[in-house]
Amino acid sequence: MANSINKARADFPILDQRVNDERLVYLDNAATVQRPTPVLQKLMDFYQHDNANVHRGVHTLAERATKDYEQARVKVQHFINAQSSDEIIFTKGCTDGLNLVASTYGEQNVHAGDEIVISIMEHHSNLIPWQQLAIKKGATLKYIGLTPDGELDMNDAKRQITDKTKIVAVAHASNVLGVVNPLRELAELAHSHGAVLVGDGAQAVPHMPVDVSALDVDFYAFSGHKMMSPMGIGVLYGKADLLRAMPPYQYGGEMIGDVHRQESTWADIPFKFEAGTQNIAGAVGLGAAVDYLDELGMENIQQAEQDLVDYVLPQLEELPYVTVYGPQDPSHHTGVIAFNLNGLHPHDVATALDMDGVAVRAGHHCAQPLMEELGLTATARASFYFYNTKQDADQLIKAIKETKEFFNGGTF
């Protein structure tokens, strides 16, 4: 396993460069990851040899493009173990998929007096669509809180989810706290009250095996760019019976059955939700990314990231001037690690780390209610992927120590 993961780093030439005269250490993978050469080559091959619109032409290029596009859908189906490729809808990204559910299923099934339940750790993409739906419908938006260790409080979930709840929407893995939430348990709880469970898989699908059938989620959205495909492509999984009962998200070409002067009918799923020309190259690239991840093995990727967290998290926690947010136990942590240096603004920390070649994110991470819950305005965030190494972790720790020395003269 280790040899395969180690060899894989060579597929990412962007990592082999210097920034500010220092070796680049890319630790902003929760925002977007890098693309391997096989995915980039597949994109070039598509545009050089097969580029055409799909589902329309009968010429050879159109048939090749359609075949690649639909093969990508089947690859995604198998990757997340959906029951049918009809349950895989290509979107612009995770945000688009969540908005699709809010604007169709939510519009159809949420009414005044109903409840929508999310968690306090949600990314804005899995918060604002439900917040606005609740405002529009006169429904109540409720939040599941956290345990003292920063994990989802399932006792609070049992209090918040009631027979009035119509939708429960929770991230599979947090983009700040680095925790993995128990979606299967939440699905059972939601279903026992007649609600559906929507999973935000943006921080989970690229990092661990995901089985939507075993999780029994009703909807599950994720982005391609966080799993090495081009930007602007994503996936919404939905159970077929729910998708068929939902109205279209957008109207136009390709999503129709028959069109008459005063009325129209709609195509079956998934095409009902894919109006207009889609990001065809993006879908083809996503299919190539799935091939790449399958070849490495998601269990191997998850273990490689866990090994890095086991190595770096205790070192961070030993620094007396560093505060780490989320679980302190590495076994409860993904490769996402949010932290602050006492007395320093996270933006100053991120700028200082960049001077040492270390790329991290600083800010509220599109999770402002979580920041309020933690009593913070922002954090720095280092997020690892399988192509990172212990040498990267060492350079992060060294850069943090140098940042402390630079800003505080060695004392706090």
Side-chain angles (χ1 to χ4, degrees), residues 313-325:
L313 187 59
Q315 295 187 64
L316 272 175
E317 291 171 344
E318 284 179 2
L319 298 175
Y321 46 87
V322 171
T323 302
V324 177
Y325 303 97

Side-chain angles (χ1 to χ4, degrees), residues 275-400:
T277 295
Q278 297 296 296
N279 183 354
I280 299 165
V284 172
L286 178 60
V290 168
D291 288 341
Y292 190 86
L293 291 168
D294 274 339
E295 186 171 348
L296 286 180
M298 292 308 299
E299 293 86 358
N300 296 335
I301 288 171
Q302 185 177 29
Q303 186 60 56
E305 293 180 27
Q306 186 63 57
D307 290 345
L308 286 168
V309 174
D310 290 344
Y311 181 73
V312 71
L313 187 59
Q315 295 187 64
L316 272 175
E317 291 171 344
E318 284 179 2
L319 298 175
Y321 46 87
V322 171
T323 302
V324 177
Y325 303 97
Q328 305 299 296
D329 184 343
S331 67
H332 291 192
H333 227 287
T334 68
V336 172
I337 303 174
F339 63 94
N340 275 326
L341 271 65
N342 295 348
L344 295 182
H345 194 284
H347 286 169
D348 291 333
V349 173
T351 300
L353 295 182
D354 183 59
M355 295 305 295
D356 282 333
V358 180
V360 301
R361 175 65 64 91
H364 54 61
H365 313 298
C366 297
Q368 286 181 296
L370 174 60
M371 294 293 118
E372 291 175 0
E373 180 77 4
L374 298 173
L376 304 170
T377 56
T379 77
R381 181 186 69 187
S383 49
F384 291 80
Y385 205 25
F386 65 85
Y387 46 58
N388 290 121
T389 64
K390 288 184 178 179
Q391 185 182 4
D392 293 344
D394 289 341
Q395 192 166 328
L396 169 67
I397 297 295
K398 179 173 179 286
I400 288 174

Side-chain angles (χ1 to χ4, degrees), residues 210-229:
V210 171
D211 184 331
V212 294
S213 296
L215 292 171
D216 199 22
V217 291
D218 299 285
F219 300 99
Y220 192 93
F222 55 97
S223 293
H225 71 94
K226 296 183 192 296
M227 54 182 289
M228 303 184 301
S229 82

Side-chain angles (χ1 to χ4, degrees), residues 58-113:
V58 296
H59 56 81
T60 299
L61 265 59
E63 290 182 350
R64 285 186 199 155
T66 300
K67 181 180 178 183
D68 273 354
Y69 184 76
E70 291 305 323
Q71 280 184 339
R73 197 190 308 275
V74 172
K75 290 175 183 177
V76 172
Q77 174 210 341
H78 293 155
F79 190 62
I80 62 171
N81 196 32
Q83 296 299 304
S84 166
S85 62
D86 292 344
E87 297 177 320
I88 304 300
I89 299 164
F90 288 127
T91 64
K92 291 188 293 185
C94 188
T95 300
D96 192 37
L98 294 166
N99 273 277
L100 190 161
V101 179
S103 299
T104 53
Y105 183 88
E107 181 73 29
Q108 195 175 49
N109 292 282
V110 174
H111 306 287

